[in-house]
Amino acid sequence: MCGINGFVLRSSNIKSQGLLPKINAMNTLIAHRGPDDDGTFVDQNSNYSIAMGMRRLSIIDLNSGKQPIFSDDKQIIIVFNGEIYNYRELKEELLKSGTIFKTNSDTEVILKLYEKEGTASFQKLDGMFAFSIYDKKIDKVYIARDFFGEKPLYYHQGNGQFIWSSELKSLIYKLEQRPSISKTGLNLYFRLTYIPAPYSIYEGIIKLESNHYISLDLKTQDYSILPIEKNVLELDNSKISLNEAKKNVKELVHQSVASRSISDVPLGTFLSGGVDSSIVSLCLAQCKSSPIETFSIGFEKKSFDETDKSRVVSKLIKSNHHEFIINEKDLEENVDEILLNFDEPFADSSSLPTFLVSNRTRKHVTVALTGDGGDEMFGGYNKYYMGKMNNKYTKMVPSGLHSMIQKASSPFLKVSNDDRGYRFKLKRLLNSVDYNGQFYWDIISLGFTRNSLHKYLLPSYLNENIFDEYKKNTKISRPQTLGDFRLIDKHISLEGDMLVKVDRTSMLNSLECRAPLLNKKIWHYANSLPEHFLMKGWNKKFILKEAFKDQFPEGFLDKSKSGFGAPVGDWLKLSLKLELESYIEEKKLVDQQIFNPETIIPLVKNHLSGKEDNTFKIWTYYCFQKWYYSTYQHI
């Protein structure tokens, strides 16, 4: 587990001095991703200069896994961030064909496999990764990102250079001037509360999409983006029996947990007490000969605290359980560090407890397995209900009548505090109802809806067509089925939100997180099943719960569970109030030229006064302004 950096300069920009200090400086900015070691490589010829670097968190092959790693003839060089879970099987195949290895690392396996099979080898990798391979023989660099996008990769081309990095801070350092704010990135952020690939908050800085690699010609700096795994033939299990599907799901999950438990350093699990983390913890406990370490976090505010569920599982699997309760003081001490480490606006409030549980966990282990991905794999989100309900509702209720219902119910659905109860959920559902097949794009808009954002952003910053790229990539314009919803989530919320949150908060604490449910085999298998195996009526993740229900107390996996959020709506009225108020000073807003002061000021004041709870909107606004004034203005 590491972080990587690199840049290429054209011949006209080559300077014999200064390459090594620059790549070292980029490495230093992401030292938290790899505190154990670092490595650099520079090369120059008459056509270009190249520098690559990495920071290493030692997990596997602690003694001989130092990077960069070179081919035997020194003509191919790799820097790698991540873990390849099937590297032992791949290495065994290569050994049979006569390949000789100098290390026991998964990094060298990627290199040797590339030497043998070229870029076609990338699709054989089961894991989370971002790596760059410099092939001097053909003057090319290949930069790849894993199937789900668990590991980040940003890149930029301009002014005679091509730059890539695991985090924005290193890439920004290498730019000659401050980039402008991306209009598309800004609108995506205020709609979604995060910015998924290929966009970032900066114009011209691009996130490499998951399951893709860059092929960069070093002589011309021309590049292309290509899929790693393409035209995958999905299995057809439409006629499979429920019992056989249960058996296969159970086996696939057990296999995945076992493969992701390989480590030369201490390992444990995040245990929230929800379906996914409970199953992962159970499987890990069953494949280990001694009690495993489990970690959970709770809140002093009881409506957000669910540590009782994690205790049940811990007792069941006989783990060494560690429980951390956080309060407002913990937030005050860490909020700046957490939010600003994302390097761009990011408003998923669950990043706060994720950071804190990572911080506490790192005191005990170096690797933690998580339950991330279970909802996307098996259909576990409440928003999937909304998708089904929208289809039925719009067939029964004419659009004119819906408008009347929405208007009449608005006063009754107002809430004054951040409890996210039934009124909050009903209001969100009514606001996302759509008669033109676009409802799911509003359901995933956790910040501002399409119909409200234009009131708060100035016209010069508005962009109405922010989802066009995702409609094209998924080939889904009017999502209707559970399969549509899950595929959109894989491309947008999983890559842009869930995995970003876990990667940045865990790596800020030098903790490696692995998600066994994010496995290509599990994804392809789940996609092959009848949809009612995933969501049976209103029973979410039906097949996953059926596969493991005999391992837990009766009814445990059917218990409702809140999201892993934090009561930021309350905190905004208390410890963060003065800072938030500073962001609605009229002169500051006029000078900023992004927001409409006439609408954004009352929105914030209504929340602070308790007149109406606007937690999601205000937290999204607060996180943007914190980034803008603390990061963007200082570039």
Side-chain angles (χ1 to χ4, degrees), residues 274-515:
V275 171
D276 305 321
S277 68
S278 297
I279 287 173
V280 167
S281 298
L282 173 84
C283 292
L284 183 64
Q286 290 178 343
C287 73
K288 295 294 183 182
S289 57
S290 57
I292 67 168
E293 307 292 320
T294 55
F295 304 88
S296 69
I297 201 160
F299 296 91
E300 287 186 347
K301 184 172 181 177
K302 292 304 177 185
S303 60
F304 281 78
D305 184 73
E306 297 186 303
T307 49
D308 57 326
K309 297 185 179 71
S310 58
R311 289 184 209 127
V312 170
V313 179
S314 170
K315 186 176 180 181
L316 175 72
I317 64 177
K318 297 180 172 61
S319 68
N320 296 322
H321 191 54
H322 310 262
E323 191 176 285
F324 316 112
I325 304 299
I326 64 170
N327 56 32
E328 201 173 321
K329 188 168 181 254
D330 295 305
L331 172 74
E332 289 175 358
E333 294 171 354
N334 295 284
V335 67
D336 285 2
E337 181 183 17
I338 299 166
L339 295 181
L340 297 179
N341 185 58
F342 288 99
D343 298 330
E344 62 181 341
F346 186 81
D348 184 342
S349 64
S350 63
S351 64
L352 304 174
T354 304
F355 168 86
L356 291 169
V357 74
S358 298
N359 179 267
R360 306 316 193 250
T361 298
R362 184 61 177 88
K363 293 174 172 53
H364 302 272
V365 299
T366 311
V367 178
L369 304 193
T370 78
D372 294 314
D375 292 312
E376 291 83 2
M377 297 301 106
F378 294 104
Y381 286 121
N382 287 332
K383 60 186 173 182
Y384 299 152
Y385 289 154
M386 295 183 186
K388 293 177 71 172
M389 291 169 71
N390 188 90
N391 290 339
K392 294 181 178 181
Y393 182 92
T394 52
K395 289 176 183 177
M396 297 169 56
V397 180
S399 59
L401 178 58
H402 169 68
S403 298
M404 293 171 61
I405 293 171
Q406 201 172 17
K407 186 176 180 180
S409 64
S410 181
F412 302 101
L413 296 180
K414 282 187 178 182
V415 291
S416 58
N417 57 69
D418 182 18
D419 65 1
R420 307 183 197 181
Y422 289 111
R423 282 191 293 174
F424 165 81
K425 292 172 183 175
L426 183 56
K427 181 180 179 180
R428 187 179 164 208
L429 175 60
L430 288 173
N431 287 341
S432 64
V433 167
D434 181 87
Y435 288 79
N436 299 309
Q438 301 299 308
F439 64 91
Y440 198 70
W441 305 105
D442 272 338
I443 288 173
I444 63 175
S445 296
L446 298 177
F448 294 77
T449 64
R450 175 186 35 166
N451 295 327
S452 67
L453 186 56
H454 70 277
K455 291 189 267 186
Y456 302 103
L457 286 182
L458 293 179
S460 58
Y461 272 100
L462 282 171
N463 183 349
E464 293 285 333
N465 303 311
I466 57 172
F467 292 124
D468 287 356
E469 180 79 14
Y470 309 104
K471 292 176 182 179
K472 181 182 74 174
N473 290 345
T474 61
K475 299 181 174 59
I476 302 169
S477 178
R478 298 164 62 90
Q480 298 291 323
T481 67
L482 179 59
D484 292 342
F485 307 154
R486 290 171 54 245
L487 184 59
I488 289 170
D489 281 353
K490 178 183 179 293
H491 280 261
I492 296 180
S493 66
L494 185 62
E495 184 280 333
D497 181 8
M498 306 301 174
L499 297 177
V500 173
K501 170 191 69 180
V502 174
D503 175 81
R504 302 306 190 281
T505 56
S506 62
M507 292 311 298
L508 186 56
N509 291 288
S510 303
L511 176 76
E512 173 171 302
C513 284
R514 302 175 180 176

Side-chain angles (χ1 to χ4, degrees), residues 60-61 65 69-70 78 80 83-95 99-118 121-122 124-126 131 133:
I60 291 173
D61 190 16
I69 289 182
F70 296 78
I78 184 172
F80 165 66
E83 299 289 351
I84 305 302
Y85 302 121
N86 63 337
Y87 82 98
R88 290 179 174 175
E89 296 88 335
L90 294 172
K91 184 175 182 178
E92 190 63 33
E93 292 177 12
L94 289 167
L95 286 169
T99 302
I100 297 173
F101 288 85
K102 296 177 181 177
T103 76
N104 294 315
S105 72
D106 50 356
T107 309
E108 190 180 14
V109 172
I110 302 172
L111 181 66
K112 296 293 186 180
L113 199 60
Y114 167 78
E115 281 190 278
K116 187 178 177 68
E117 301 181 18
S121 65
F122 299 165
K124 289 188 172 182
L125 304 175
D126 171 27
F131 60 78
I133 293 175

Side-chain angles (χ1 to χ4, degrees), residues 1 33 81-83 85 126-130 145-153 209-211 260 370 372-373 494-495 498-504 506-507 513-520:
M1 179 63 64
R33 297 188 71 91
N81 166 28
E83 299 289 351
Y85 302 121
D126 171 27
M128 53 179 182
F129 56 79
R145 191 177 183 204
D146 65 73
F147 185 79
F148 293 104
E150 291 183 74
K151 294 293 103 183
L153 200 290
E209 292 178 85
S210 59
N211 189 38
R260 280 132 176 89
T370 78
D372 294 314
L494 185 62
E495 184 280 333
M498 306 301 174
L499 297 177
V500 173
K501 170 191 69 180
V502 174
D503 175 81
R504 302 306 190 281
S506 62
M507 292 311 298
C513 284
R514 302 175 180 176
L517 298 178
L518 289 178
N519 184 311
K520 288 190 288 186

Side-chain angles (χ1 to χ4, degrees), residues 183-288:
K183 186 186 295 186
T184 302
L186 182 73
N187 280 260
L188 280 167
Y189 168 74
F190 275 102
R191 288 282 298 276
L192 298 170
T193 71
Y194 54 89
I195 307 170
Y199 301 101
S200 79
I201 193 60
Y202 298 108
E203 194 68 44
I205 298 181
I206 306 166
K207 294 170 185 163
L208 179 60
E209 292 178 85
S210 59
N211 189 38
H212 282 76
Y213 71 94
I214 299 170
S215 175
L216 174 66
D217 186 308
L218 296 175
K219 290 182 177 180
T220 65
Q221 281 204 16
D222 291 335
Y223 71 92
S224 54
I225 308 293
L226 302 163
I228 293 176
E229 186 171 309
K230 50 190 176 182
N231 300 323
V232 176
L233 181 63
E234 299 286 5
L235 303 169
D236 181 11
N237 283 315
S238 58
K239 297 181 180 178
I240 193 172
S241 71
L242 178 61
N243 284 336
E244 187 177 357
K246 285 164 53 178
K247 177 184 174 184
N248 291 338
V249 165
K250 191 172 187 178
E251 186 175 310
L252 284 169
V253 172
H254 269 289
Q255 289 174 354
S256 191
V257 170
S259 70
R260 280 132 176 89
S261 66
I262 298 170
S263 174
D264 294 333
V265 294
L267 175 145
T269 72
F270 286 171
L271 176 58
S272 69
V275 171
D276 305 321
S277 68
S278 297
I279 287 173
V280 167
S281 298
L282 173 84
C283 292
L284 183 64
Q286 290 178 343
C287 73
K288 295 294 183 182

